[in-house]
Amino acid sequence: MTSKRKPILVVHGPNLNMLGSREPEIYGTTTLADIDASLTALAAELGWTLETYQSNGEGDIVTRIQQAAACNSGVLINPGAYTHTSVAIRDAVSACALPVVECHLSNIHRREEFRHRSLIVDVAVGQVMGFGATSYLLGLRALVSVLERS
Ligand code: DQA
C-alpha cells in the first residue's frame, strides 16, 4: 500500500525563500529550510514522503503543478502573493486532478483588503491560515487525511 504512494508536493510561492528575515513581525523568524525540515519529519511520521519546491516565478509554479499530476499524490501550496492574483496557478490547480490544500502563515483576512480574496481556495480541498509555520503542518495533516480516505 505504502509503496504505491507518490510523494506529496509542497509548493512555496514568491518571497517565501526570504522567511526568517522577511517581515518577522508578520511571518515569524522560522526559515523556509526549517519549515521544510519539519514537514519532511512529519510526513515520515505519517508514512509519506515529500518533495519541496520554491519559486518566485508564476510560470515555474504552473509547470511544477502540471508535473505533479504524474509524479505526486497531492499538493500543499502556499502561493504567497499569487494567491490573490494568479488565474494561471488557479487553472493549474484546477486541472491537476489531485487534492490540493492551500496554506498561509498569516491570517489573510486580518490583513489588507486585497489579501482577503484567494483565487485558489475554491479549487482547493481547503485552506489553513494564521498559525505561522504551524499552518503548513496542519495543512499537511489535513492533506494526508484526505489522501488516506480516497
Ligand atoms: C502569505 C500571505 C500573502 O498575502 C503574502 O503575499 C505572502 C505570504 C502567507 O503565508 O501569509 O507572501 O501567503
Side-chain angles (χ1 to χ4, degrees):
M1 279 259 271
T2 308
S3 61
K4 287 187 187 164
R5 291 178 173 177
K6 296 175 185 169
I8 290 170
L9 174 66
V10 179
V11 177
H12 307 284
N15 297 304
L16 294 168
N17 54 314
M18 301 302 292
L19 287 178
S21 58
R22 175 192 180 197
E23 297 178 279
E25 65 287 0
I26 298 174
Y27 298 116
T29 51
T30 308
T31 65
L32 193 61
D34 292 336
I35 291 174
D36 283 346
S38 313
L39 285 169
T40 301
L42 177 60
E45 200 182 296
L46 299 175
W48 290 80
T49 56
L50 211 69
E51 289 172 2
T52 62
Y53 178 78
Q54 190 278 330
S55 177
N56 295 323
E58 184 177 19
D60 293 339
I61 293 171
V62 168
T63 300
R64 189 61 189 87
I65 294 169
Q66 289 176 358
Q67 291 164 351
C71 308
N72 299 101
S73 289
V75 181
L76 175 65
I77 183 167
N78 181 349
Y82 290 139
T83 304
H84 320 296
T85 62
S86 180
V87 176
I89 293 175
R90 174 199 169 86
D91 285 350
V93 166
S94 196
C96 78
L98 296 175
V100 176
V101 171
E102 176 185 348
C103 74
H104 298 282
L105 296 144
S106 63
N107 179 346
I108 58 178
H109 296 288
R110 295 185 67 171
R111 301 186 60 196
E112 304 97 320
E113 200 166 339
F114 66 84
R115 295 186 202 274
H116 295 182
R117 185 177 70 148
S118 167
L119 294 185
I120 314 299
V121 66
D122 62 310
V123 291
V125 182
Q127 189 190 49
V128 182
M129 72 175 95
F131 302 102
T134 304
S135 295
Y136 280 95
L137 298 172
L138 295 170
L140 180 61
R141 285 186 185 277
L143 180 57
V144 164
S145 77
V146 170
L147 289 170
E148 291 184 356
R149 71 169 186 246
S150 60

